[in-house]
Amino acid sequence: MSLAERRILLSAAVEQSAGRVPVLAGVSDLLESNVLAMCEAAEATGCAGILALPPIYAMPSPRETHAFYRRLASATRLPIMLYNSPRRTGVDLLPEHVEALLELPSVVSIKDSSGNIVQVSQLVQRVGGELAVFVGYETMIRPALAVGAVGVVAMAHQLSGRLVRGYFDACREGDGDTIARLEPALFAI
């Protein structure tokens, strides 16, 4: 999608949500200038925050990744949700790297799509008191909640929102019967 199309999509999402839920703008792109333009578009369209991967394709070092997020934080007034998706970017935001990013007041949460429950647990232990930790896979809801994550930001809800919400609520409440009933359907998506 072009930047103009992405901006139209953000505007439509904010309009349709009508304040019922916060809209986070996915601002990631191959070009940093486009990431910064998307941050501006997110602010202009009324998004509640941004979701940002480390630089895509470049596979930056931890120092370079930190500098990138520092530039991002200085370019927007919106809260930032870090996005760790090592399979997609080749960069793993390890718990110690995320902890170093706490120096940026606008970094308020992280979506961890590492698929590694040990890493999620370490992340919660290191930064859970200061950042909201979310996982990126519905299949990790139960173990992630058990180690202190607060939620999931994933994709299956677009296909079956009620199923994902019911499963999440059952996991949060420890409702084993509902978990057992819903889990096979959720994991089949």
Side-chain angles (χ1 to χ4, degrees), residues 2 24 28 40 43 50 52-53 63 67 72 75 78-79 88 90 99-100 116 124 136 141 146 148 164 171 179 182 188:
S2 71
L24 299 182
S28 301
E40 183 181 311
E43 284 188 35
I50 63 168
L53 288 162
R63 182 182 55 79
L72 202 59
L78 293 175
R88 304 279 187 256
E99 187 174 38
N116 181 340
V124 169
I141 292 172
V164 175
C171 290
I179 292 168
L182 297 179

Side-chain angles (χ1 to χ4, degrees), residues 12-23:
V14 169
E15 182 180 324
Q16 288 300 309
S17 73
R20 292 185 305 273
V21 294
V23 174

